[in-house]
Amino acid sequence: MQYRTIGDTTVSAIGLGAMPLSIENRPDERRAVATVHAALDAGVTLIDTADSYHWHAGEVGHNELLIARALAHYGGDTSDVLIATKGGRGRPGDGSWTVTGAPEHLKRAAEASVKRLGVEAIGLYQLHKPDPAVPWAESVGALRELLDAGTIRAAGISNVTTAQIREAHAILGDGLVSVQNQYSPAVRDSEPQLRLSAELGLAFLPWSPLGGISRSSLDGPSGPTSHDTAFHRVAAGHGVSPQRVALAWLLSRSPAVIPLPGAGRPASVTDSAQATEIRLSEAELAWLESEVPS
């Protein structure tokens, strides 16, 4: 495993996106816990969750509680694991997502996450999505208050524009350490946000990093799939999965990038973690850069 930094914290260069362990068609708890343990065994020290990662109504915090139980029952040392959670979104239980960026809601949500995770303070707390009904500065101001109160140790923002990154950075200063946007071989709209994050010294955490790449047959396809792309051909040349090449490509984009691939089985997270072992040549990188899977 290779390592990168989020603020002043060193984490694995590949994280675990834990959402698939709690939403629709989630695995049973034994397999979910085994998946988290496989991530830890592979050297993963960044786990991304959210209070809204659940399936049914009345399950707020399902994923946070699951992660807390998995860590508590792991046989090894977990003191270096950074749990990054989020607040500001909700799930009524009908498959839809809501957005609530009111400062009081965010502060209550963070305090509830602290209890579910069983920690003194949240290592990284992220504003899940801007709320168009609430001024951005007010939502970010809640993160400032949480930092000042010691409820959270560092703040992140997600699903944001470059203007929102700059405004949040002005409010939070060094307290802002990360940006989490969708970014993958097929979805590269956040290239400006990636560049700005690197410029400001922020970690850039791509969610859904395998978009456009066929996932392992163990998990089934996730999002748009593609076949016989440059990613697949490079993967064949290395004797590895195309998703592993996709993650290696993401790592090559910038030292600020720390992908968060989701996983529903131990084999998938183990495969993802091994992306740090791939060395892509300049020719391969140019080939991958030139092709957007469709």
Side-chain angles (χ1 to χ4, degrees), residues 11-84:
V11 298
S12 54
I14 299 288
L16 169 64
M19 183 174 74
L21 302 177
S22 289
I23 62 167
E24 288 83 345
N25 303 311
R26 64 195 180 204
D28 62 33
E29 175 138 345
R30 172 183 284 188
R31 197 177 87 190
V33 169
T35 301
V36 176
H37 288 178
L40 299 173
D41 289 342
V44 171
T45 61
L46 171 62
I47 300 176
D48 183 73
T49 180
D51 61 0
S52 58
Y53 290 169
H54 61 89
W55 186 351
H56 307 291
E59 289 188 326
V60 174
H62 182 281
N63 198 242
E64 293 175 323
L65 290 167
L66 172 66
I67 297 305
R69 288 194 297 271
L71 291 177
H73 291 95
Y74 183 63
D77 182 15
T78 60
S79 61
D80 60 347
V81 175
L82 175 64
I83 302 176

Side-chain angles (χ1 to χ4, degrees), residues 256-281:
V257 172
I258 304 173
L260 299 170
R265 293 178 183 267
S268 297
V269 72
T270 301
D271 183 73
S272 292
Q274 292 173 339
T276 61
E277 301 173 7
I278 298 176
R279 297 294 177 267
L280 299 171
S281 69

Side-chain angles (χ1 to χ4, degrees), residues 105-136:
H105 170 82
L106 294 173
K107 288 184 283 186
R108 287 194 303 270
E111 290 163 0
S113 291
V114 166
K115 293 178 182 178
R116 284 190 291 265
L117 292 170
V119 295
E120 293 183 2
I122 296 170
L124 173 58
Y125 192 68
Q126 303 160 97
L127 181 53
H128 207 152
K129 188 175 183 179
D131 184 347
V134 178
W136 179 237

Side-chain angles (χ1 to χ4, degrees), residues 19 24 26 71 91 122 154 196 225 228 249 253 273 292:
M19 183 174 74
E24 288 83 345
R26 64 195 180 204
L71 291 177
R91 302 205 74 198
I122 296 170
L196 179 58
T225 61
D228 196 31
W249 173 80
R253 304 298 290 163
V292 179

Side-chain angles (χ1 to χ4, degrees):
M1 178 58 68
Q2 296 177 8
Y3 297 89
R4 294 189 171 183
T5 58
I6 301 179
D8 59 3
T9 302
T10 299
V11 298
S12 54
I14 299 288
L16 169 64
M19 183 174 74
L21 302 177
S22 289
I23 62 167
E24 288 83 345
N25 303 311
R26 64 195 180 204
D28 62 33
E29 175 138 345
R30 172 183 284 188
R31 197 177 87 190
V33 169
T35 301
V36 176
H37 288 178
L40 299 173
D41 289 342
V44 171
T45 61
L46 171 62
I47 300 176
D48 183 73
T49 180
D51 61 0
S52 58
Y53 290 169
H54 61 89
W55 186 351
H56 307 291
E59 289 188 326
V60 174
H62 182 281
N63 198 242
E64 293 175 323
L65 290 167
L66 172 66
I67 297 305
R69 288 194 297 271
L71 291 177
H73 291 95
Y74 183 63
D77 182 15
T78 60
S79 61
D80 60 347
V81 175
L82 175 64
I83 302 176
T85 192
K86 311 180 201 70
R89 301 209 75 177
R91 302 205 74 198
D94 60 0
S96 66
W97 295 78
T98 60
V99 182
T100 307
E104 289 307 313
H105 170 82
L106 294 173
K107 288 184 283 186
R108 287 194 303 270
E111 290 163 0
S113 291
V114 166
K115 293 178 182 178
R116 284 190 291 265
L117 292 170
V119 295
E120 293 183 2
I122 296 170
L124 173 58
Y125 192 68
Q126 303 160 97
L127 181 53
H128 207 152
K129 188 175 183 179
D131 184 347
V134 178
W136 179 237
E138 292 184 14
S139 295
V140 175
L143 298 182
R144 178 73 269 168
E145 291 184 43
L146 289 166
L147 285 165
D148 293 342
T151 307
I152 67 176
R153 293 195 174 95
I157 51 178
S158 183
N159 300 300
V160 289
T161 65
T162 53
Q164 288 166 334
I165 295 172
R166 291 189 184 280
E167 187 173 1
H169 189 254
I171 295 169
L172 299 172
D174 291 341
L176 178 67
V177 299
S178 66
V179 171
Q180 183 175 157
N181 275 20
Q182 184 176 17
Y183 187 70
S184 69
V187 182
R188 307 187 191 184
D189 297 345
S190 285
E191 195 78 44
Q193 289 92 324
L194 166 55
R195 291 196 299 269
L196 179 58
S197 296
E199 175 187 322
L200 295 175
L202 307 176
F204 185 82
L205 315 176
W207 62 264
S208 195
L210 300 176
I213 299 297
S214 300
R215 294 194 63 197
S216 166
S217 60
L218 291 171
D219 287 319
S222 175
T225 61
S226 54
H227 304 277
D228 196 31
T229 68
F231 287 85
H232 290 77
R233 294 190 288 275
V234 169
H238 284 264
V240 300
S241 66
Q243 57 266 33
R244 205 186 299 184
V245 170
L247 294 171
W249 173 80
L250 283 164
L251 291 171
S252 76
R253 304 298 290 163
S254 167
V257 172
I258 304 173
L260 299 170
R265 293 178 183 267
S268 297
V269 72
T270 301
D271 183 73
S272 292
Q274 292 173 339
T276 61
E277 301 173 7
I278 298 176
R279 297 294 177 267
L280 299 171
S281 69
E282 291 299 322
E284 288 173 329
L285 288 171
W287 191 13
L288 297 174
E289 172 64 20
S290 66
E291 181 174 312
V292 179
S294 59

